[in-house]
Amino acid sequence: MEKIRLVIIDDHPIFREGVVSILGSEPDLDVVGQGLTAEDALRLTRDLLPDVILLDVNMPGGGLNAAETIANSFPVVKIIMLTGSADEDDVLAALKAGAHAYVLKGVAARELNTILHTVYAGEGYVTPSLAASLLSEICLLYTSPSPRDGLLSRMPSSA
């Protein structure tokens, strides 16, 4: 069995080292690089061409910027945003930038491993509570006769 090659980028060393330790102990995963900035993410992606990269939304240089550049330049690399931001705008921006998954940092190790394999297999993933919230907003868009404040009021209408 081929190992899934990972790069993990997070500017909080204790969190990053914990994720590296947990995922690195899995027999079918190989953490090939780690860093703390968007610049690190781009360099390591270019140099190592991992199968999957884990990025934080809020990191030096911007996780969303890194995700967009990686998605455009290295489309074979699967991008998982592993972040503390539960902001709906961040979720949408990440997916629009090319992220394949959006996962909150409160995730259990076993679940993160499952998500990683799901994304590697070509499927997308959004933390269920965020997905439910986004779906509720979309439902309101189609049932509300007037524009709502927030996320959906900024979505283009089909005229």
Side-chain angles (χ1 to χ4, degrees):
M1 171 197 305
E2 251 186 69
K3 290 186 172 193
I4 299 171
R5 301 174 71 246
L6 302 173
V7 166
I8 300 170
I9 308 292
D10 194 287
D11 60 321
H12 296 97
I14 195 147
F15 178 81
R16 183 184 66 248
E17 291 167 10
V19 173
V20 167
S21 176
I22 290 166
L23 295 179
S25 69
E26 295 292 331
D28 58 345
L29 302 178
D30 185 15
V31 178
V32 296
Q34 58 179 300
L36 52 98
T37 66
E39 184 178 312
D40 292 340
L42 299 174
R43 178 180 47 78
L44 290 168
T45 300
R46 182 189 65 241
D47 294 349
L48 302 172
L49 197 63
D51 298 311
V52 179
I53 187 165
L54 302 179
L55 301 173
D56 190 358
V57 168
N58 300 310
M59 64 181 190
L64 296 174
N65 294 334
E68 185 171 23
T69 301
I70 291 167
N72 289 330
S73 302
F74 307 96
V76 297
V77 176
K78 306 282 197 269
I79 302 165
I80 297 176
M81 303 307 290
L82 180 59
T83 183
S85 173
D87 185 279
E88 290 172 353
D89 289 336
D90 285 342
V91 178
L92 289 175
L95 297 174
K96 185 175 179 182
H100 299 85
Y102 197 95
V103 183
L104 294 178
K105 285 185 176 179
V107 67
R110 180 176 291 170
E111 187 178 358
L112 179 58
N113 187 1
T114 300
I115 293 165
L116 198 148
H117 284 83
T118 298
V119 170
Y120 177 71
E123 296 182 40
Y125 181 89
V126 174
T127 295
S129 61
L130 295 175
S133 176
L134 290 172
L135 287 173
S136 293
E137 286 286 328
I138 290 168
C139 287
L140 285 173
L141 172 69
Y142 291 105
T143 59
S144 176
S146 62
R148 294 180 38 85
D149 291 333
L151 172 72
L152 296 176
S153 65
R154 295 186 295 278
M155 292 179 72
S157 61
S158 56

